[in-house]
Amino acid sequence: MKKKLLWSGLAICCLMFLAIGGYKLMNAREFQLFGELTAKVETDEKIVALTFDDGPSENVPGILSLLDEYQAKATFFLIGQDIAKYPEMAKAIVDAGHQIGNHSYTHTRMVVKSPAFVKKELSLTDDLIRDAGYEGDIDFRPPFGKKLVVLPWMLNNQKRETIMWNIEPDTYASSVEEKVKYVLDNIEKGSIILLHPMYDDGEELQVMETILKELTEQNYRFVTIDELQKHANEN
Ligand SMILES: [Zn+2]
C-alpha cells in the first residue's frame, strides 16, 4: 500500500514536471525544438526593429505615415483573414517598402493542432501576402507567441524562420507613459520591439510615435527584421 502511494506520488510529480516543461517550452521566447528562432540580434550598430502584430486594419495609413515621418522601416506580421478583408491595406504596406511576415490565417493558438491545419494556416496567408505584391522571404510569428512541436517542425521543413521579440511593453505596462518608459529602459542595439497598433483607438499609436521620436533622438535607426539580421555581428 505504501509502495503504491509512493509510485503514484512519483507519477504525479513526473506529470507535473512535463506539464510545466511543456508550458515553458510553448511560451519560450528564445528557444524552440526545431529550426531557427530570433528574438534579438547581436549587433554593434544602433539599430532596432519595430514589429507590429495582427491586421491589416484601417489603422494602416496612420501607421505608415508615422513611420515615414521618422524614415523608419518596420515589419508587419499580418493575419490571413484580415488581409482578405483589407487587401488594399496590405498592398499599401508592401508599396511603402516594409517587411511582411505571416502571423497565421485565423490567429488561433497553434499548440495542439494537426500538421494539416498548421500547413493550411501558413499557405493561405502566404498566398495573400504574395497577392499583395510582397516578394521577400516570408518569416513567421506564432499567434500569442505560442508554439510547441508541430509548428516549429513544419516551419523548419519549409526552411523558414520564427521571429519572436525581446521587448513587449503591452505585457509589462499599461499606460502610454509606462509603456514608453519600459521600452526606453530596456532598449539595446539589435532589439526587436513588439507593438499592437492595428486595432487600437489611439494609445498604441501614441506609444509608437513617442518611441520613434525618443529613440531617433538617441540616434537609433529603425530597420526591418531582414535588415537587422544583415547587420548581425559575426560569431
Ligand atoms: Zn497576434
Side-chain angles (χ1 to χ4, degrees), residues 53-54 79 103 107 143-144 196:
D53 278 12
D54 313 335
I79 300 171
H103 193 44
H107 204 265
F144 309 100
H196 298 87

Side-chain angles (χ1 to χ4, degrees), residues 40 166-167 180-189 191:
K40 179 187 179 290
N166 70 320
I167 296 192
V180 171
K181 183 176 184 313
Y182 176 83
V183 173
L184 297 180
D185 285 350
N186 289 283
I187 200 76
E188 46 187 334
K189 294 167 183 167
S191 283

Side-chain angles (χ1 to χ4, degrees), residues 37-108:
L37 178 148
T38 302
K40 179 187 179 290
V41 167
E42 295 304 324
T43 177
D44 294 331
E45 293 177 53
K46 258 194 142 174
I47 46 176
V48 291
L50 271 182
T51 64
F52 306 122
D53 278 12
D54 313 335
S57 71
E58 282 162 355
N59 283 357
V60 166
I63 296 168
L64 292 182
S65 69
L66 266 183
L67 290 171
D68 229 36
E69 204 178 306
Y70 290 91
Q71 293 162 351
K73 290 286 181 252
T75 304
F76 293 75
F77 289 95
L78 301 181
I79 300 171
Q81 63 187 11
D82 295 5
I83 305 177
K85 207 168 152 196
Y86 297 104
E88 71 292 346
M89 295 294 176
K91 241 185 205 110
I93 299 171
V94 176
D95 291 345
H98 301 287
Q99 184 175 339
I100 292 194
N102 184 323
H103 193 44
S104 83
Y105 191 81
T106 56
H107 204 265
T108 25

Side-chain angles (χ1 to χ4, degrees), residues 2-20:
K2 238 185 176 173
K3 222 175 181 180
K4 211 174 170 188
L5 255 175
L6 184 69
W7 279 116
S8 42
L10 267 177
I12 289 170
C13 280
C14 282
L15 278 175
M16 275 173 62
F17 260 117
L18 278 176
I20 293 167

Side-chain angles (χ1 to χ4, degrees), residues 23-166:
Y23 182 77
K24 279 201 164 162
L25 185 62
M26 171 176 86
N27 291 298
R29 261 198 268 140
E30 310 202 354
F31 175 78
Q32 66 184 4
L33 287 174
F34 310 95
E36 265 187 77
L37 178 148
T38 302
K40 179 187 179 290
V41 167
E42 295 304 324
T43 177
D44 294 331
E45 293 177 53
K46 258 194 142 174
I47 46 176
V48 291
L50 271 182
T51 64
F52 306 122
D53 278 12
D54 313 335
S57 71
E58 282 162 355
N59 283 357
V60 166
I63 296 168
L64 292 182
S65 69
L66 266 183
L67 290 171
D68 229 36
E69 204 178 306
Y70 290 91
Q71 293 162 351
K73 290 286 181 252
T75 304
F76 293 75
F77 289 95
L78 301 181
I79 300 171
Q81 63 187 11
D82 295 5
I83 305 177
K85 207 168 152 196
Y86 297 104
E88 71 292 346
M89 295 294 176
K91 241 185 205 110
I93 299 171
V94 176
D95 291 345
H98 301 287
Q99 184 175 339
I100 292 194
N102 184 323
H103 193 44
S104 83
Y105 191 81
T106 56
H107 204 265
T108 25
R109 285 177 169 74
M110 297 225 226
V111 176
V112 279
K113 296 288 192 273
S114 69
F117 177 89
V118 172
K119 200 171 177 185
K120 201 169 163 205
E121 287 273 325
L122 290 172
S123 67
L124 282 174
T125 307
D126 282 346
D127 290 348
L128 287 160
I129 292 173
R130 292 298 179 217
D131 287 348
Y134 188 68
E135 288 174 352
D137 285 346
I138 303 174
D139 293 338
F140 186 79
R141 176 172 280 167
F144 309 100
K146 295 194 190 302
K147 64 237 162 328
L148 202 52
V149 181
V150 172
L151 177 62
W153 174 79
M154 180 89 57
L155 292 168
N156 189 35
N157 269 354
Q158 298 184 354
K159 305 225 177 322
R160 61 203 293 173
E161 268 190 88
T162 305
I163 305 297
M164 301 292 277
W165 57 85
N166 70 320

